[in-house]
Amino acid sequence: MHDLKCSEREKTIARRVFEAALQQELGEVMATFKEKAALAEKPDDMWAVEGWLAQRRHDIDNKYDFRYSQLVMVFGKLLREGRITEQQLEGLGEDKLSYIEHIATL
Amino acid sequence: MHDLKCSEREKTIARRVFEAALQQELGEVMATFKEKAALAEKPDDMWAVEGWLAQRRHDIDNKYDFRYSQLVMVFGKLLREGRITEQQLEGLGEDKLSYIEHIATL
């Protein structure tokens, strides 16, 4: 992470927190997608869902980048969005937590 | 149409047949879209719906081209697909009908 070395334990925690946040967000997108599809009345509503979904996929692909070099940034953003908590990150080194918390405040 | 002159009456018929086929096909896509969305269980199912919908939009944009120069071709394909009938085209000149029927057999 960000030129910080990661222990195996930290990698395990990072993977778990990352996956939980990703699955949570995918679940939210799924629920909204189904709702939008059910409410669509006109073809234009349907094409709007398509555009919205393509944008969500793009956002998620960009946001959830599990390269160790990117994880401090990823977790910082997720913390800022309230998608993860500081408790979930317990077990990561103080150096990483400090970076993550800093990024969350930006 | 295809270097064939169109009377106002023919243009009216062409517009009506074209719109009816387009709305019918859009309705079918809408129904399938809603069904696929309702059945989606995993995020991959949702992304598959997005890809399918983008392809349908692309196909429909290509197929329904209301330039008079293209209508003989468009109606020929729609007739071949069973999306319009020869009865609906009654009132178009024999020259156009003959081209349309020929294209429908290709």
Side-chain angles (χ1 to χ4, degrees), chain A residues 7-45:
Chain A
S7 70
E8 285 308 311
R9 178 157 176 269
E10 285 179 318
K11 288 179 183 176
T12 303
I13 293 168
R15 171 57 76 184
R16 186 175 62 218
V17 175
F18 180 94
E19 277 300 324
L22 174 56
Q23 293 309 317
Q24 168 76 22
E25 185 153 3
L26 285 172
E28 290 171 16
V29 173
M30 277 277 282
T32 306
F33 164 65
K34 284 172 171 280
E35 190 178 3
K36 284 178 179 285
L39 290 173
E41 292 183 354
K42 304 181 303 295
D44 278 353
D45 300 335

Side-chain angles (χ1 to χ4, degrees), chain A residues 21-78:
Chain A
L22 174 56
Q23 293 309 317
Q24 168 76 22
E25 185 153 3
L26 285 172
E28 290 171 16
V29 173
M30 277 277 282
T32 306
F33 164 65
K34 284 172 171 280
E35 190 178 3
K36 284 178 179 285
L39 290 173
E41 292 183 354
K42 304 181 303 295
D44 278 353
D45 300 335
M46 174 173 68
W47 307 132
V49 177
E50 184 213 338
W52 172 84
L53 195 53
Q55 186 61 52
R56 298 307 298 124
R57 182 167 48 77
H58 183 75
D59 293 345
I60 287 174
D61 282 350
N62 278 344
K63 197 199 295 189
Y64 290 89
D65 181 350
F66 196 79
R67 287 175 295 176
Y68 291 123
S69 63
Q70 298 302 311
L71 275 177
V72 161
M73 191 66 77
V74 171
F75 286 151
K77 288 183 194 167
L78 291 174

Side-chain angles (χ1 to χ4, degrees), chain B residues 36-103:
Chain B
K36 284 177 179 285
L39 291 172
E41 291 182 354
K42 305 182 302 296
D44 279 353
D45 301 334
M46 175 173 67
W47 307 133
V49 176
E50 184 213 337
W52 173 85
L53 195 54
Q55 186 62 52
R56 299 306 299 124
R57 183 167 48 77
H58 183 74
D59 292 346
I60 287 174
D61 282 349
N62 278 343
K63 196 198 296 189
Y64 291 89
D65 181 350
F66 195 79
R67 287 175 295 174
Y68 292 123
S69 62
Q70 298 302 310
L71 276 177
V72 161
M73 192 67 78
V74 170
F75 285 151
K77 288 184 193 166
L78 292 174
L79 191 59
R80 185 167 63 214
E81 292 179 8
R83 295 203 161 273
I84 62 175
T85 64
E86 296 190 22
Q87 282 95 323
Q88 287 179 283
L89 296 173
E90 275 173 17
L92 296 185
E94 283 303 322
D95 47 354
K96 287 140 197 150
L97 288 174
S98 161
Y99 275 122
I100 291 169
E101 283 160 18
H102 174 67
I103 289 163

Side-chain angles (χ1 to χ4, degrees), chain B residues 27-40:
Chain B
E28 291 171 17
V29 172
M30 277 277 283
T32 307
F33 164 66
K34 283 172 171 279
E35 190 178 4
K36 284 177 179 285
L39 291 172

